[in-house]
Amino acid sequence: MPADLETDSVRLREALAKALAEDGVLADPAWRQAVEVVPRHRFVPGFYLPADEPDGQGLTVWEPVTAELDYGRWLAAAYSDTTLITQFDGDEPDWGNPQTRHGGAPTSSSTLPSLVVRMWADADVREGHKVLEIGTGTGYSTVLACERLGSADVTSIEVDPHRLAQTADALYGLGYTPTLAVADGLYGYWPEASFDRIVAACSFRAVPPALLAQTRPGGKILLTLSGWLYGYARVLLTVNGDGTAEGRLLPGTVSFMSARAHAAPVFGNPAHWAAGLPETGRTARHSLGRITDATEEAFHLRFLAQSAVPDAQMTTVGDVVHLADVVTGSAATLTPVEDQWEVREGGPVRLWERVEAVLSAHDEAGRPGPETFTLHVYDGGQHLRHPQMPGLPLPRS
């Protein structure tokens, strides 16, 4: 490792903190100090960055980056406001001899610093709060919380034991001693409950009941809801004394990897699903682009659509878009015909018809943003509600 690493990293940390402050992310001086103090490079000894071009099969080429391979690129990326992928498909790389990867599903990463700080700030974490972090990952978020709150008030859990072992070495090597445990975030961590704040660095299909039970009345839970259509919404819940909770969705377009138990199942061959559909269809009332375009509104609408068909998945084969629901056996296809879409649907749930109903209700309500929706969580389920959309509540579990 170069002799001037510590000097270089101090300079880059200060530059990162300054840039985040100028962007309005580090309004709290205490969080800015944490970013200036914590050496992020100690938590990302290796990571992957995408190459400029895909491979011959159209797959993303992921290039390994370490100090030994390219010191300058490694250190600059470590202090950039970028998410750094550290693991694919649950396989921990050998960073002593890392290999280029083609495609794959990211399963661990160091989240971009601006989002890490934003999550802690949005959860209204303050001195004296006892905090549970779900998804330790590389530990960068954990160490910022320890620097801000003190290690004694921080508990962090991670489902991957190998990942947690490496992170523990980095944390303890710097003198931070939070409570760490290999545990599944769906069940929180009872030995350290109750908590004032729970913050999840992964996404869930529904709010796990255990988290409500482990939060003190008046405490808050910040997590990301997602699903098999890859629609996302962040919500900040306040837990009531009766074990229920409610809170508004937060604005923005943030996404997190799914909790491993909530990942989408493999649904089979799209052609098999399509084979059972009617030969003729109808013209869609809404374009597929309403939920797939690269816009903030489409990001939000994809989540609302997913709330209406929570067990549906979507894939594209050629120019045909397939929807499949492994729970009910329902399916649909959308095929472009000139400037419209032809829909064929079958099974007990008319998948695209349900999506269209939500899109129409959203239009009639004046296209409200996510911050106008409220999530209510109670024993047995949760519902998303909006005062101008009488077609709701939408089930989320």
Side-chain angles (χ1 to χ4, degrees):
M1 203 72 71
D4 56 355
L5 172 58
E6 294 307 319
T7 301
D8 291 343
S9 66
V10 168
R11 173 177 53 82
L12 290 172
R13 286 202 298 275
E14 291 175 348
L16 174 63
K18 180 181 179 182
L20 296 181
E22 290 174 348
D23 289 342
V25 177
L26 288 175
D28 185 336
W31 283 117
R32 176 167 182 167
Q33 182 180 4
V35 172
E36 291 175 339
V37 168
V38 169
R40 189 188 187 203
H41 68 272
R42 294 285 293 271
F43 296 87
V44 285
F47 46 84
Y48 291 94
L49 293 177
D52 293 334
E53 299 291 337
D55 67 13
Q57 295 181 312
L59 298 174
T60 300
V61 177
W62 294 97
E63 299 173 340
V65 181
T66 66
E68 289 73 21
L69 291 172
D70 189 333
Y71 170 75
R73 188 186 188 196
W74 168 73
L75 194 60
Y79 290 103
S80 65
D81 191 28
T82 306
T83 292
L84 304 173
I85 306 299
T86 56
Q87 186 191 83
F88 287 89
D89 303 318
D91 298 325
E92 191 66 27
D94 175 7
W95 291 115
N97 183 32
Q99 304 298 312
T100 299
R101 294 192 60 104
H102 294 254
T107 48
S108 188
S109 67
S110 179
T111 303
L112 66 162
S114 61
L115 179 54
V116 170
V117 176
R118 179 175 161 194
M119 291 286 285
W120 289 125
D122 284 347
D124 190 27
V125 173
R126 287 174 269 163
E127 289 85 351
H129 281 162
K130 188 176 180 182
V131 171
L132 171 65
E133 177 190 40
I134 297 173
T136 314
T138 64
Y140 180 65
S141 176
T142 315
V143 72
L144 288 178
C146 290
E147 180 64 32
R148 176 73 165 82
L149 304 173
S151 298
D153 288 328
V154 178
T155 297
S156 187
I157 60 175
E158 168 63 46
V159 73
D160 185 327
H162 187 79
R163 164 54 54 196
L164 189 64
Q166 291 191 333
T167 298
D169 287 344
L171 285 164
Y172 298 153
L174 290 169
Y176 297 98
T177 57
T179 298
L180 301 176
V182 177
D184 189 327
L186 268 67
Y187 306 101
Y189 199 59
W190 283 106
E192 294 296 317
S194 294
F195 301 100
D196 298 291
R197 298 290 187 269
I198 296 179
V199 176
C202 58
S203 63
F204 297 95
R205 295 186 70 210
V207 180
L211 303 189
L212 270 64
Q214 293 174 30
T215 304
R216 293 191 178 104
K220 298 181 180 181
I221 302 171
L222 179 66
L223 50 72
T224 301
L225 295 173
S226 67
W228 298 344
L229 288 183
Y230 299 103
Y232 297 88
R234 288 194 311 148
V235 62
L236 179 61
L237 297 166
T238 299
V239 176
N240 303 315
D242 59 0
T244 64
E246 62 181 61
R248 297 254 178 172
L249 301 188
L250 302 181
T253 55
V254 172
S255 60
F256 277 103
M257 297 174 192
S258 295
R260 296 191 185 183
H262 281 191
V266 178
F267 65 85
N269 188 333
H272 296 165
W273 290 88
L277 298 178
E279 292 186 6
T280 59
R282 62 175 177 84
T283 299
R285 300 198 307 273
H286 291 277
S287 165
L288 183 70
R290 292 292 304 277
I291 65 171
T292 59
D293 287 345
T295 65
E296 285 203 23
E297 183 179 74
F299 188 93
H300 172 49
L301 289 178
R302 194 179 184 97
F303 176 75
L304 295 184
Q306 177 182 273
S307 298
V309 287
D311 300 316
Q313 297 182 64
M314 182 167 61
T315 190
T316 302
V317 179
D319 59 354
V320 179
V321 177
H322 296 255
L323 291 171
D325 182 335
V326 299
V327 176
T328 67
S330 304
T333 61
L334 289 92
T335 305
V337 179
E338 297 179 349
D339 60 347
Q340 297 179 319
W341 291 87
E342 180 187 64
V343 183
R344 295 188 298 144
E345 298 179 281
V349 177
R350 294 297 186 262
L351 298 175
W352 191 249
E353 187 174 312
R354 281 198 180 183
V355 172
E356 288 179 322
V358 172
L359 297 177
S360 294
H362 185 259
D363 291 345
E364 292 168 6
R367 299 191 168 188
E371 64 278 4
T372 62
F373 288 78
T374 303
L375 186 73
H376 297 259
V377 186
Y378 49 89
D379 183 25
Q382 57 190 46
H383 282 83
L384 190 64
R385 293 174 181 158
H386 191 280
Q388 272 73 55
M389 293 180 66
L392 299 178
L394 289 175
R396 284 293 311 157
S397 64

